[in-house]
Amino acid sequence: MLAAASPDSRAITRVERREDSLYLYSQAGMHRLSPVNDRTVRVTYTESGQFSQEEKPGVLQKAPYGEWDYTEAGGQIILQMRLLKVEICRETASCRYCDGEGRVLLREREKDSKVLEEFPVYRLSAQGSRIEKAATPDGVKDVVREAARIPDGTRCHTRLHLEWEGEEGLFGLGQHEEGFGSLRGETVYVHQANRKIAVPLLVSTKGYGILMDTYSPMVFQDSAYGSYLYTEADREMDFYFMNGATMDGVVAQYRMLTGKAALLPKWAFGYLQSQERYETQEEVLETARQYRERGIGLDGIVLDWCSWEEGKWGQKSFDRGRFPDPAGMVRQLHREGVHFMLSIWPNMDESTENYREFRDRGLLLPGSNIYDPLRGEGRALYWNQVRRGYGDCGVDAWWCDNSEPFTPEWNHMERPEPSRMYEEYCADAGLRLPAEMMDAFGLFHARAISEGQRGTWDKRVFNLTRSGTTGQQRYGAVLWSGDTAATWDTLRRQIAAGTHFCASGMPYWTVDIGGFFVREGRPWYWKGDYPRADGDLGYRELFVRWYQWGAFLPVFRGHGTDCRRELWRYANGEEPFYDALLLANRLRYRLMPYIYSLAGLSWLEDRSIIRHLAFGFPGDRQAWDIRDQYLFGEGLMVCPVTEPLYYGRDSARIEGRLRSRRVYLPEGCRWYDYWTNEAYGGGQWIEAAAPLMHIPLFVREGTVLPMAQAARSTGEQGQGLTVTVYPGRDGRFVLYEDAGDGFGYEDGEYALTTLCWEEGPGKLRVEKTKECGSIAGRYRIEKVVTAAG
């Protein structure tokens, strides 16, 4: 008969406190528990006999924290901080994580809770490999058909098995195209892709979070196969457990570990006009001129790919035939109060000077035409090329497209299964990048831009990019959801994708308003529902609803292919599409004092702009699985329309349908309809009016909402405010002001004004809570009104 090999014992045989960490030794392996503050602990586990000295790019918090103690009693070892307690079973080494008073937040599985499996890893050798060119929507890419591999040591698959403590909702782990509600009961593949962003932060309605300190792909599993967090390739298991007390508190702990969210320039919160693509200098200037003449709010225009000469993909310079005077073009835009964003790419055609410079210095990733941002020399050269080619033209912001340069799922004609996408991504990216850094390209790429620009100009970084991971918020990065398709189902799923992404600690997110692909084509991802594109009234209705929703995203940007995206293109005698777009645009600018304050407090107090309903109402079970409503700050609840109410495909008119949508009002407060001021009790579903002209929008009682006059840009906006109070309870809003650009805000050059509503006497009290020279008091409150009239 076969004989079972006895596993190494996990029983703790020795406990030692040193270097402000608690070490636990067993025959199977070694644990290190390192308190970071009074509510967060780092847990590391290895079976190699020593902990890795590897420097990781995302977590910055390194200072030791010594205000904790431990005790050994019976079968337990107890690590006690003021607001967090970890109870370790001596026999199994499994942990229970409790709040400071001993209430259990989360348990690891009782037996074999931490599992490591060592395996060999390899890098690609250009010698002996067969690499072919493949045309993709992200340009011509190098695809490995046959790989010659070089050994690169060993790494570990890690698996942390968990047992949930009663009912809870789980959120985060980046951006998921599926449109999940709570992640309980789901399988989530966490890796980079065109429409996927990997951020390994999981947040619970119980007020705790787990940050896996990994930069490799990961899988969250909560199914018949168990409940666990699996990482693909790490040297050891490494994670942070955070008792944030609230979900917002978890995000604050995440930012404490990984860095403050850099504040974007104020103009970045205005409307940005983009499309695939503006081809000439004259076209760019004419588009900006049209916006100004029509009085439509616009703060930036975006030049998509191919600013370079024909055949020189990725070269960081202008085609002077189409852009004869780039500096003059940007000066003219600036005179009209319009900023300029330019698309730049990490991959370069082999015929370009930029490519040869990287090649000659050995700074390309193996078997590719993509630069290596993991090396400081590579980042410095990339920025040097950007500065030489574009910097002197006055470019205001960068669009770092294709920042997950390995997207094998887009090499298929039919959509692969999620597990296949994951496996192919690991196989492809793992040959070009270190296995433990497969998800980190976008992070290092954003670092190249941020550090380069900060070392060159006193101008805030605004980097629109498609991929990111732990810590990227500190680099001025705005993530967008990739090349989506124009369907109502996509719109619906995108709302959920944004709430999960922002639950992952990242404040800035946006979308291609209207969907990138409008028509149906081949391959699988080119699946818009509208062959006639904007000639279809059904698409025009979809575009309006997408735009209305986009006005309530951190960054407000139209973009896509197959048809033009300028607002006046949607004028039509059948329905007031254009009027609805103008109303949404004006509302965005009227809300600018509120929006810019949300952004300022995301930096100053580690808050979030977009918040899943569970953030505001963790005890309301119904709120956990609502996927098409969310909080914009604390006071506004946005309820996008996600189905056609007027037109189907091919302009087929829809008859007999109510112009409304079902909305859930979370319990515990009253809600005001923004458009009518009608108040409703919480804890109920209602049918909310949804005419084409506006998006259903509700305001929580106690909200103090500052609004300005609509304007053609943030720079033209006046300082007079109307403050609307939604009565029913005391409320407050902190109004944030600064110079709007530059880095003075980091040195205290900002002002705070607290608007306090006192429900009893029914009056608004204004407190200057922080003043700073000429910045203080720029806003003037001209009128105070209550929602009741």
Side-chain angles (χ1 to χ4, degrees), residues 168-229:
E168 59 185 303
L170 298 173
F171 303 89
L173 297 182
Q175 173 193 287
H176 324 296
E177 194 180 355
E178 294 84 352
F180 295 123
S182 166
L183 299 180
R184 288 297 307 274
E186 303 287 0
T187 299
V188 183
Y189 294 94
V190 184
H191 64 94
Q192 311 294 4
N194 183 295
R195 299 173 178 175
K196 179 182 280 288
I197 303 171
V199 186
L201 174 65
L202 185 69
V203 182
S204 168
T205 52
K206 297 183 72 173
Y208 72 80
I210 299 173
L211 174 63
M212 300 300 291
D213 198 11
T214 186
Y215 306 87
S216 84
M218 190 175 97
V219 179
F220 167 82
Q221 187 74 264
D222 188 31
S223 69
Y225 295 101
S227 300
Y228 57 81
L229 292 163

Side-chain angles (χ1 to χ4, degrees), residues 9-12 26 74-77 88-94 110:
S9 172
R10 294 178 178 271
I12 305 300
S26 71
Q76 283 193 328
I77 302 154
I88 306 103
C89 174
R90 183 179 286 276
E91 181 180 354
T92 66
S94 292
E110 186 175 341

Side-chain angles (χ1 to χ4, degrees), residues 398-417:
W398 310 102
W399 181 0
C400 287
D401 209 340
N402 194 34
S403 56
E404 68 303 287
F406 307 110
T407 52
E409 78 277 10
W410 283 48
N411 298 334
H412 294 276
M413 294 305 294
E414 299 299 329
R415 184 187 184 111
E417 290 296 312

Side-chain angles (χ1 to χ4, degrees), residues 243-320:
N243 173 23
T246 65
M247 298 174 77
D248 289 306
V250 173
V251 170
Q253 287 296 296
Y254 164 83
R255 304 258 186 88
M256 175 275 300
L257 289 170
T258 65
K260 289 280 188 183
L263 184 55
L264 304 179
K266 188 172 184 178
W267 68 264
F269 300 97
Y271 182 55
L272 310 179
Q273 178 61 59
S274 180
Q275 70 169 23
E276 193 282 308
R277 61 186 168 95
Y278 294 117
E279 298 191 21
T280 66
Q281 177 172 323
E282 291 77 12
E283 191 178 9
V284 169
L285 292 173
E286 174 61 17
T287 301
R289 185 185 67 79
Q290 286 271 2
Y291 268 92
R292 284 293 171 260
E293 288 185 355
R294 295 169 184 269
I296 306 171
L298 179 72
D299 267 86
I301 193 162
V302 184
L303 182 59
D304 198 357
W305 56 15
C306 302
S307 58
W308 46 79
E309 294 178 25
E310 181 72 24
K312 294 188 175 182
W313 188 279
Q315 173 71 17
K316 301 171 196 69
S317 59
F318 285 99
D319 177 351
R320 292 302 176 126

Side-chain angles (χ1 to χ4, degrees), residues 422-435:
Y422 177 88
E423 290 166 3
E424 290 187 350
Y425 176 80
C426 293
D428 196 2
L431 288 173
R432 325 293 188 97
L433 295 161

